[in-house]
Amino acid sequence: MSESRWQFFVDVGGTFTDVVARQPDGTLVTLKLLSSGVVRGVVSAGSLLRAESGRNFIIDSRFAGQADGLWAGYEFRLVDSDSVDGGSSHAVALRVARFDGLSGTFHFDASLPAGVTIGSGFALSSREEAPVVAIRCLMGLSLGDAIGSVDVRLGTTRATNALLERKGSRVGFVTTRGFGDILKIGNQDRPELFALNVRKRDDLAECAVEVDERMSATGDVLVSLDEVRARATLTEMRKNGIEAAAICLLHAHINPDHEEHLAQIAEEVGFSQVSVSSRLSRVEKIVSRGDTTVADAYLGGVMGAYVASLRQSMPHARIKLMTSSGGLIDAANVTGKDTVLSGPAGGVVGCAYVTRAAGFDRAIGFDMGGTSTDVSRVEASLSSPFEYQHETVKAGVRIQTPMIAIETVAAGGGSVCLFDGQKLVVGPHSAGSEPGPACYGRGGPLTVTDMNVALGRVVADRFPFPLDEMIVERKLAVLAAEVNRVTGASLRSVGLAAGFVEIAVAHMASAIRKISIAKGYDVSKYVLTTFGGAGGQHACAIARRLGIRRVLCNRFAGVLSALGIGVASAKRIVERSVHDVLDEGAVERLASVFVDVGSQVRRAILADGESEDELDGLIETVDLCYAGQASLISVDFGDWGTMRSEFEAKHKQLYGYTHEGRAIEVRAVRVALSGKRRDVPLDAMAAKGRASSAIEMVRMVVSGEMRDVPLYKREGLTVGDAIDGPAIVIEETSTIVVDEGWRGVVTETGDLVLTDGAVVAAKQIVGTAADPVQLELFNNQFASIAEQMGTTLRRTALSTNVKERLDFSCAVFTPTGDLVV
């Protein structure tokens, strides 16, 4: 990648699009905007709405300092908070005739619509995709200017949203005669074992057709493909409006010849998307392979159209897309199945990068965005820091492809908060970017973000765009009255908001338990690396609930998924089914398979534009299981005894037992090849003004009471600065709430590390003469924290020889109130 060009690292989320841009001089800049591509503003105080000359203009001081002409040609509409859609479909639209960047003044040739006053909100739209709007903004290019030769690395939720909303292509499933209903039958799993009303999942394939052919389990041809009848069948399917063909034949992972012939026919009869199982996933299990192929066909057209739209606006850009495995591929080679976790995977890569840079060995990644929260476990000190899943279910669809293991819960800043007549509910529905939370002023519902605004945890006039506090107050009051009427309670609006936040915190903490405690990992030994625009607002509460004593807040936390996409390398992973037994001869027998798969993965990554001298070494793994079982565990390929020991250790950790003397089978081999990682200097952020003291006092609810707390600007903090909670730290792309009992310190790496007050108190007395007064103060601090946690404090009395008995530098209370040292 050339260092003299603009480089853009973009994460398109459900609500916000985050951008980290590296300018030609190496300086980093960031930007966050709505994923709808709409840019929000507000008429500034002191604006002259109509000049004497008759020319009409408005001023928004937040736009001051931008490039002259930047917003010329954009559509301008007023934002009406009382309408469902913010007035965007009813208000008169104006075209921005000229934009003066020095003052942030928008000029119009036509008369301004009625109702424009000081404080009126407005929206600017160009109908271009959000990444394109962001790139124009950062480069200072107007709609009439061409975007030149730039490098764009992109993660997107476009595929995920298409699955969730069932808005993919019309797909036809093509399979072997007699297996047309194989995906409907499935594998008889019951994901909701105790559900009384079992519902069948929605089929992505609109129809299924069968062709005459058959392969044996060893790849021998039992029935030759009837190409004439197959062509007639596919032609009829295309005439019926089916856009994409998903081809999955029995045993094609062993011998793909028939699938390749069918793919050629499908392309000839006019299918816009042809997905072939043996190209996508050469592993056994026709149900999983078939589901994956259908998902790829369903999403392929969506991703293809998205890439085409980007290329239309940026014909000279080099575009690479992030895959679910945490690697980049050329946009021309992207497949639908590989982008389901595109954006979240970038977050995990970024989490590992900043955690390692901060000096921590392991982390729980906590990515709270606008639509959902993604959590992951990262071993930052290892060369391969991520846990992978090779078959998983996303949005109700089974997909067989390498993905970074990420647990997602529908509890983001935009998750809808409501009362269902019996209880308070947070999620799973989201307000998205349009209309967004109620405080966005576009008629949206109450969300988690609104609750934080009501509690003072989000400072309305310090948000990237203006927030409407009054609409939040009105809607909360109405909801509180409804809850009180139905339940007989006497909740106030503030108490109701706090309750919704507590529910959201419980959902997110539960997701973290699934990827840590449930898999045998002691979560208290991890740092909580928080990111996403909303992560810092809840990190302390979640950490305390889980017994995590430190929270890492990197300067790029609000756009860390975008940063992760920037530091990611090109990556390809190829897997293949095998059937072997793990014994002394297994290594030699598998060697030829690894050579073949290694050659395939090398060809794939070179096709993405990587050169031989940019490639790292191959990473070879095998999937193992006990004979007669199907639960696969992946271990590094090597000495057979070492593989057995590693398998048994992981089996013991996951399931609590091993089978002594039982044979172990090899079920799949896998080869990963990556390009060399390109570091992004974390200290390359453009310099800002310094002001390490609090810039003002703001009102925030603390322990149920409204209190004045200090507000700091992140860019004003210097190494060694300490912040005692309760306090708020704001930055351009996120907000950090330092809860009561926590202390934040700026480290030498520029990170803000928050530490639970229990640990701070313990460190203060280590190495001192522990007299009774100090011990009493220490005990009181612990008791206070335990009371805030709503738990019963259980501990042994501390004595004067505490220094000899305990190392309090790693003391922490668990969620059950125990003191763990």
Side-chain angles (χ1 to χ4, degrees):
M1 181 181 291
S2 172
E3 301 297 331
S4 61
R5 329 159 33 111
W6 277 88
Q7 301 166 21
F8 297 96
F9 318 137
V10 187
D11 172 41
V12 184
T15 303
F16 284 102
T17 290
D18 301 333
V19 184
V20 175
R22 191 172 189 174
Q23 302 177 97
D25 64 359
T27 305
L28 300 179
V29 292
T30 63
L31 179 67
K32 184 184 285 283
L33 74 161
L34 292 169
S35 291
S36 61
V38 173
V39 178
R40 300 290 306 279
V42 64
V43 180
S44 298
S47 294
L48 295 176
L49 301 180
R50 290 174 174 82
E52 292 182 0
S53 62
R55 299 190 67 182
N56 300 286
F57 63 90
I58 65 168
I59 300 173
D60 186 341
S61 58
R62 297 181 185 229
F63 287 76
Q66 296 182 342
D68 279 339
L70 175 61
W71 304 107
Y74 277 68
E75 184 180 272
F76 169 92
R77 291 179 185 270
L78 284 181
V79 172
D80 178 6
S81 62
D82 291 327
S83 70
V84 174
D85 63 356
S88 60
S89 62
H90 304 292
V92 176
L94 300 179
R95 192 70 56 182
V96 178
R98 193 175 84 251
F99 173 72
D100 295 332
L102 182 63
S103 59
T105 305
F106 298 84
H107 295 264
F108 309 95
D109 289 335
S111 299
L112 290 171
V116 179
T117 61
I118 304 303
S120 292
F122 61 86
L124 300 168
S125 173
S126 66
R127 309 301 181 187
E128 289 187 313
E129 299 285 355
V132 180
V133 175
I135 289 171
R136 289 192 184 280
C137 183
L138 290 171
M139 295 183 71
L141 301 175
S142 68
L143 285 175
D145 297 327
I147 297 175
S149 181
V150 298
D151 292 309
V152 180
R153 296 180 168 196
L154 180 72
T156 175
T157 59
R158 188 60 60 101
T160 309
N161 292 341
L163 276 183
L164 290 170
E165 299 170 9
R166 295 299 191 259
K167 292 182 178 179
S169 301
R170 296 182 64 186
V171 177
F173 177 55
V174 184
T175 190
T176 303
R177 177 76 61 191
F179 288 84
D181 56 356
I182 189 68
L183 300 188
K184 288 184 178 293
I185 296 172
N187 57 17
Q188 300 297 296
D189 60 337
R190 287 282 300 275
E192 297 180 23
L193 189 59
F194 300 105
L196 298 179
N197 183 20
V198 178
R199 295 183 179 179
K200 292 184 178 179
R201 58 184 180 137
D202 295 331
D203 293 324
L204 295 185
E206 188 171 321
C207 66
V209 298
E210 302 174 351
V211 295
D212 293 312
E213 70 83 38
R214 188 66 178 263
M215 292 283 184
S216 72
T218 58
D220 297 322
V221 177
L222 300 179
V223 178
S224 297
L225 175 64
D226 188 334
E227 296 189 22
V228 174
R229 292 187 62 182
R231 181 179 295 274
T233 299
L234 292 176
T235 300
E236 182 67 21
M237 189 168 69
R238 183 68 189 94
K239 287 181 178 179
N240 290 333
I242 300 300
E243 303 163 320
I247 302 172
C248 180
L249 305 179
L250 193 65
H251 302 313
H253 65 290
I254 302 296
N255 185 344
D257 286 351
H258 287 175
E259 283 197 346
E260 291 297 336
H261 287 313
L262 278 174
Q264 182 179 350
I265 295 171
E267 291 169 357
E268 291 172 356
V269 301
F271 285 97
S272 60
Q273 169 71 31
V274 179
S275 296
V276 183
S277 78
S278 53
R279 298 176 186 173
L280 300 170
S281 180
R282 287 197 66 174
V283 292
E284 60 186 4
K285 299 181 181 179
I286 188 173
V287 172
S288 300
R289 189 158 43 89
D291 282 337
T292 302
T293 308
V294 169
D296 185 80
Y298 189 76
L299 300 173
V302 174
M303 293 306 301
Y306 184 58
V307 171
S309 174
L310 294 175
R311 289 203 183 280
Q312 184 177 5
S313 299
M314 303 182 293
H316 304 294
R318 300 176 184 173
I319 305 175
K320 289 185 178 291
L321 261 65
M322 191 72 173
T323 68
S324 304
S325 65
L328 295 162
I329 63 175
D330 189 273
N333 300 326
V334 69
T335 60
K337 75 176 182 69
D338 288 329
T339 55
V340 174
L341 290 182
S342 174
V348 182
V349 174
C351 173
Y353 188 74
V354 300
T355 298
R356 186 186 297 114
F360 293 100
D361 291 335
R362 54 180 69 91
I364 298 297
F366 170 54
D367 177 10
M368 184 178 180
T371 303
S372 62
T373 293
D374 301 310
V375 299
S376 55
R377 184 178 56 81
V378 170
E379 301 292 338
S381 60
L382 301 181
S383 58
S384 182
F386 317 122
E387 178 184 357
Y388 284 94
Q389 295 173 323
H390 300 287
E391 181 179 320
T392 186
V393 176
K394 297 297 179 184
V397 178
R398 184 182 293 102
I399 300 177
Q400 197 174 49
T401 191
M403 294 184 181
I404 293 178
I406 298 172
E407 185 71 26
T408 302
V409 60
S415 292
V416 176
C417 300
L418 53 85
F419 175 63
D420 68 359
Q422 294 180 317
K423 61 184 182 301
L424 303 182
V425 177
V426 175
H429 301 293
S430 172
S433 59
E434 290 292 335
C439 61
Y440 285 13
R442 296 183 65 80
L446 287 172
T447 67
V448 173
T449 294
D450 296 306
M451 302 306 140
N452 282 313
V453 169
L455 296 171
R457 299 169 71 87
V458 169
V459 184
D461 60 359
R462 299 284 182 174
F463 206 70
F465 51 82
L467 300 180
D468 188 340
E469 294 178 273
M470 296 302 296
I471 192 65
V472 175
E473 292 180 12
R474 292 201 301 268
K475 289 194 172 186
L476 258 179
V478 171
L479 183 59
E482 173 66 11
V483 172
N484 293 337
R485 182 187 65 80
V486 174
T487 66
S490 55
L491 278 174
R492 295 183 300 143
S493 295
V494 168
L496 183 62
F500 278 120
V501 169
E502 184 65 20
I503 293 170
V505 167
H507 287 338
M508 293 182 283
S510 177
I512 292 176
R513 290 190 183 96
K514 290 181 180 179
I515 55 97
S516 57
I517 298 171
K519 295 186 176 182
Y521 296 95
D522 182 359
V523 72
S524 68
K525 295 180 180 179
Y526 289 71
V527 64
L528 185 69
T529 299
T530 179
F531 53 106
Q537 299 163 26
H538 305 277
C540 289
I542 289 172
R544 180 164 288 175
R545 180 180 284 265
L546 293 168
I548 299 174
R549 64 181 185 272
R550 284 177 296 192
V551 175
L552 172 63
C553 306
N554 183 266
R555 285 175 299 165
F556 291 91
V559 291
L560 194 63
S561 290
L563 180 71
I565 292 168
V567 301
S569 59
K571 178 184 288 187
R572 285 285 187 166
I573 301 176
V574 175
E575 53 191 351
R576 186 173 299 176
S577 287
V578 296
H579 287 277
D580 208 333
V581 177
L582 185 63
D583 57 22
E584 293 183 7
V587 174
E588 183 177 351
R589 293 193 301 271
L590 293 174
S592 61
V593 181
F594 274 109
V595 169
D596 186 28
V597 176
S599 298
Q600 184 181 347
V601 75
R602 186 176 297 275
R603 289 193 300 270
I605 199 168
L606 292 177
D608 286 327
E610 299 299 305
S611 60
E612 283 281 0
D613 58 354
E614 292 180 320
L615 302 182
D616 279 346
L618 296 171
I619 297 177
E620 300 174 332
T621 58
V622 293
D623 284 354
L624 306 177
C625 66
Y626 280 119
Q629 293 187 346
S631 299
L632 302 178
I633 294 177
S634 182
V635 303
D636 292 334
F637 180 61
D639 175 76
W640 84 277
T642 302
M643 287 190 286
R644 183 181 186 97
S645 298
E646 185 179 350
F647 168 78
E648 290 182 333
K650 288 187 175 182
H651 197 281
K652 177 76 171 179
Q653 180 181 357
L654 282 171
Y655 305 113
Y657 68 93
T658 58
H659 290 292
E660 290 293 334
R662 189 166 181 174
I664 297 175
E665 296 179 347
V666 184
R667 304 297 294 274
V669 301
R670 191 171 292 106
V671 177
L673 181 59
S674 302
K676 292 180 180 178
R677 190 185 71 191
R678 296 175 175 87
D679 290 339
V680 174
L682 298 180
D683 58 354
M685 178 69 79
K688 303 282 185 178
R690 294 290 181 185
S692 59
S693 59
I695 58 174
E696 64 174 311
M697 300 297 288
V698 295
R699 303 283 284 171
M700 183 177 81
V701 175
V702 180
S703 300
E705 298 179 353
M706 189 68 76
R707 289 165 53 179
D708 290 325
V709 302
L711 178 71
Y712 299 84
K713 273 193 173 182
R714 177 67 177 266
E715 61 264 29
L717 300 178
T718 59
V719 175
D721 283 347
I723 299 173
D724 289 319
I728 299 176
V729 180
I730 57 171
E731 46 194 4
E732 291 183 355
T733 55
S734 67
T735 298
I736 301 168
V737 176
V738 185
D739 280 351
E740 190 171 29
W742 288 75
R743 166 172 287 184
V745 176
V746 180
T747 67
E748 293 183 357
T749 57
D751 298 296
L752 180 62
V753 176
L754 311 181
T755 307
D756 197 325
V759 180
V760 174
K763 288 183 176 180
Q764 291 173 347
I765 70 168
V766 170
T768 65
D771 59 44
V773 174
Q774 289 174 316
L775 291 173
E776 181 62 26
L777 290 172
F778 180 70
N779 287 338
N780 288 342
Q781 285 175 303
F782 272 112
S784 174
I785 292 171
E787 183 179 354
Q788 293 172 31
M789 293 166 60
T791 62
T792 302
L793 179 62
R794 300 194 297 273
R795 65 174 183 270
T796 56
L798 301 178
S799 63
T800 55
N801 65 341
V802 63
K803 177 183 175 183
E804 300 173 4
R805 294 173 51 232
L806 300 173
D807 174 14
F808 278 98
S809 65
C810 61
V812 66
F813 269 105
T814 69
T816 57
D818 297 298
L819 174 62
V820 177
V821 180

